[in-house]
Amino acid sequence: MSVKEVLRMGHPFLRKVAQPVKEPLSAEIQALIVDLRDTMQARNGAGLAAPQIGSPWRVVIYGTGSPNPRYPEAPIIRETVLINPVLEPIGSDAQTGWEGCLSVPGLRGEVTRWQRVDVRAMDQNGNMIQRQLDGFEARVVQHECDHLDGVLFPQRLASAAKFGYTEELVNSGLISATPS
Ligand code: NI
């Protein structure tokens, strides 16, 4: 078990563009996937991207095997590893919803994302996968893939008025009670 420190907004590494992973997958990448999984689970994240734990590679993990205490109203999503992911919107529908990030602790903000996306990537076994995602899962993947391009959710706020400390947003009734 290797729970890593999660870098916080303001750390310059989070603004870097991550590098493509080469095939076949190296022992370094396999170890990175274990660290991402351990760290995401220890912190109850809905997802985690390699740059958040100081790794330069285009790798993300997301999903929860059980209801997530940080996102109690979200559906359960199977754990998925995406290596070198490529996203394309399906159609032009958008969804606006609240997001948090382990690199932006204690804060939530409202972000507009594509409603549906097509994602192509390599999985942890080096196999190419393609999925059509909708709703919350599509949101999580767009958020995680943004990390690979050095983008954090506060750069994508739908409105600066819909951004704040989780506690205050709960007190004001904008979001439901949830740990940060
Ligand atoms: Ni994040």
Side-chain angles (χ1 to χ4, degrees):
M1 177 110 173
S2 202
V3 176
K4 298 292 186 186
E5 180 196 355
V6 177
L7 305 181
R8 293 187 304 170
M9 183 170 63
H11 193 294
F13 201 86
L14 291 172
R15 308 194 66 88
K16 288 190 170 179
V17 175
Q19 301 166 34
V21 172
K22 293 195 188 78
E23 294 180 78
L25 300 181
S26 64
E28 179 194 355
I29 297 298
Q30 298 293 356
L32 166 63
I33 291 167
V34 174
D35 289 348
L36 285 168
R37 178 180 297 123
D38 289 347
T39 306
M40 177 177 75
Q41 289 175 353
R43 300 286 302 273
N44 290 316
L48 193 64
Q52 293 180 275
I53 58 169
S55 164
W57 303 110
R58 298 186 80 81
V59 180
V60 309
I61 190 169
Y62 70 92
T64 50
S66 54
N68 186 322
R70 290 185 83 235
Y71 299 93
E73 283 155 21
I76 294 171
I77 298 173
R78 66 179 154 160
E79 187 192 280
T80 305
V81 173
L82 301 175
I83 299 167
N84 301 337
V86 177
L87 286 185
E88 275 181 56
I90 302 172
S92 55
D93 290 350
Q95 51 168 335
T96 298
W98 291 91
E99 293 189 12
C101 179
L102 295 177
S103 294
V104 191
L107 292 159
R108 296 286 169 116
E110 216 176 50
V111 178
T112 302
R113 302 281 187 186
W114 298 112
Q115 176 69 33
R116 282 178 294 278
V117 292
D118 176 283
V119 59
R120 274 168 294 162
M122 210 188 312
D123 70 9
Q124 65 270 40
N125 301 311
N127 299 317
M128 290 306 296
I129 56 172
Q130 180 171 18
R131 291 195 185 158
Q132 277 86 44
L133 306 178
D134 188 21
F136 184 73
E137 188 169 1
R139 170 178 300 281
V140 169
V141 168
Q142 288 170 84
H143 174 117
E144 298 310 329
C145 290
D146 263 357
H147 279 295
L148 303 181
D149 293 323
V151 174
L152 299 177
F153 83 81
Q155 290 163 259
R156 294 203 184 273
L157 291 175
S159 154
K162 299 283 184 70
F163 180 50
Y165 291 98
T166 309
E167 245 175 48
E168 301 294 348
L169 296 168
V170 170
N171 289 344
S172 63
L174 281 169
I175 64 173
S176 53
T178 175
S180 64

